Amino acid sequence: MMKLKIPFYYHVALFVLLFLFFTGWEMGAKPDQITLVLGFYSLLFSTTYIVSVFAIYLLNYYIVCPSLLNRRRIVFYVLSIPVSLLLFTALRYLLEEVFVYHTTGFHNYAPGSLEPGYYIRDNFFFGFPSVLLPMLVYISWQSHVYRMKNQLLELENRKAHFALLKSQVSPHFLFNTLNSFYSEWVEKDEQTAADLLVLSGLLRYIITESDKERVPLTKELAFIDNYISLHKKRFENQMYLNYTIEGRPGDQIILPAVLIHFVENVFKHGIINDTAKEASVSLAISDGTLEMHTRNHIQRGENYSSTGIGYKNLSDRLRYAYGDDFILEKTVKNDIFTTRLKLPLNRP
């Protein structure tokens, strides 16, 4: 599975390479002073500088960028830059002018250059990589993750498309045939014609919508309504399913073929023809989120097993589409199977 975060050792490797690069650069720029460049104190103060930059780099990459830059709080992010540079200045002063000085008796800066105004200005310049590098790395990695997620999501959607169809032996032929049947039956038996129209709508949705990145929530809910409607015919009005929707879908969009996974399993593995064991499917839409709950008694000798796109594939698709910003749970207790799904809704 694709890594959503850069492994920590990548950051360490980056700074080791930077240290070697700038040491080599200085050696090339001062070939007559290689002994001085490679001297103990020169390497010591180069190390304290790199450590200071690295510490503020990590602070920005792991805390500042995700909290401010990723949430488009640009003004606050800009205001955080001088704060980070002040922290860099303080950390470098602590390492070099306190710890190293008290250990070796040597300053990195000449005593006259330790005047606060000059020291802060100088270190604002030298500390700038500690805020520039994490921003560039963070944006580059997020862009890479976004591209990979889109590619994987497209792949998973295609898998879902094929699995829902079961077999794609000329689905357009089947769709056109159903339309022909509807035309023949509409004057003979209106109810049968209406059922054929519902079935045709289901097939149309699967063919035209299920392989898209996002679909209108209204279409997904209509698909479920039609799916349940056809099952009512199958059970001849002996179906005990409490299906409720709270809130309005509006113009919000959702990953396709997600909700039907739970409804399908209620019908396949649940008991829905016993009034004492009523199943339930409930959806609540509010504040840009959708929460879905299902509950059903399990048929005797029946174990829960994923159907359609499969529970694992569903979990992977949700992770690719929403990152960690969703909840997917299932429980079995006293022969009662329950599921819970909560995810954010987007707008076109």
Side-chain angles (χ1 to χ4, degrees), residues 273-302:
N273 59 352
D274 186 341
T275 184
K277 297 180 178 180
E278 183 181 58
S280 66
V281 176
S282 64
L283 295 101
I285 306 165
S286 64
D287 299 326
T289 62
L290 180 143
E291 187 160 357
M292 182 179 193
H293 294 263
T294 68
R295 180 182 183 276
N296 62 270
H297 287 76
I298 303 172
Q299 297 181 29
R300 181 172 296 180
E302 185 76 64

Side-chain angles (χ1 to χ4, degrees), residues 2 29 40 57 61 63 66 68 74 86 129-130 144 154 162 166 168 176 184 189 207 234 247 258 271 303 334:
M2 178 187 65
F40 172 76
Y57 167 94
Y61 184 84
I63 297 178
L68 301 179
I74 304 301
L86 282 173
S130 66
H144 167 72
E154 181 179 353
F162 295 142
K166 304 297 184 182
Q168 246 188 343
N176 292 331
E184 292 180 10
D189 186 336
I207 293 172
R234 168 192 167 196
V258 169
I271 299 173
N303 291 320
N334 299 327

Side-chain angles (χ1 to χ4, degrees), residues 210-230:
S210 63
D211 62 344
K212 294 181 179 179
E213 183 177 338
R214 293 286 193 280
V215 296
L217 180 57
T218 51
K219 289 188 176 182
E220 187 81 356
L221 295 179
F223 178 73
I224 293 175
D225 288 341
N226 290 336
Y227 183 86
I228 293 175
S229 176
L230 287 182

Side-chain angles (χ1 to χ4, degrees), residues 34 50 71 90 93 113 135 145 157 164 174 241 249 269 282 311 324:
I34 291 181
I50 288 293
R71 298 181 181 180
Y93 183 88
S113 300
M135 179 187 69
V145 168
N157 277 336
L164 283 170
L174 296 176
L241 172 70
H269 301 291
S282 64
Y311 186 87
D324 295 325

Side-chain angles (χ1 to χ4, degrees), residues 162-183:
F162 295 142
L164 283 170
L165 284 175
K166 304 297 184 182
S167 173
Q168 246 188 343
V169 180
S170 189
H172 287 284
F173 167 77
L174 296 176
F175 175 66
N176 292 331
T177 302
L178 284 173
N179 281 344
S180 298
F181 288 163
Y182 172 78
S183 299

Side-chain angles (χ1 to χ4, degrees), residues 192-216:
T192 300
D195 293 340
L196 283 172
L197 191 61
V198 171
L199 182 59
S200 178
L202 289 174
L203 187 57
R204 180 191 294 274
Y205 182 84
I206 292 173
I207 293 172
T208 62
E209 304 292 337
S210 63
D211 62 344
K212 294 181 179 179
E213 183 177 338
R214 293 286 193 280
V215 296

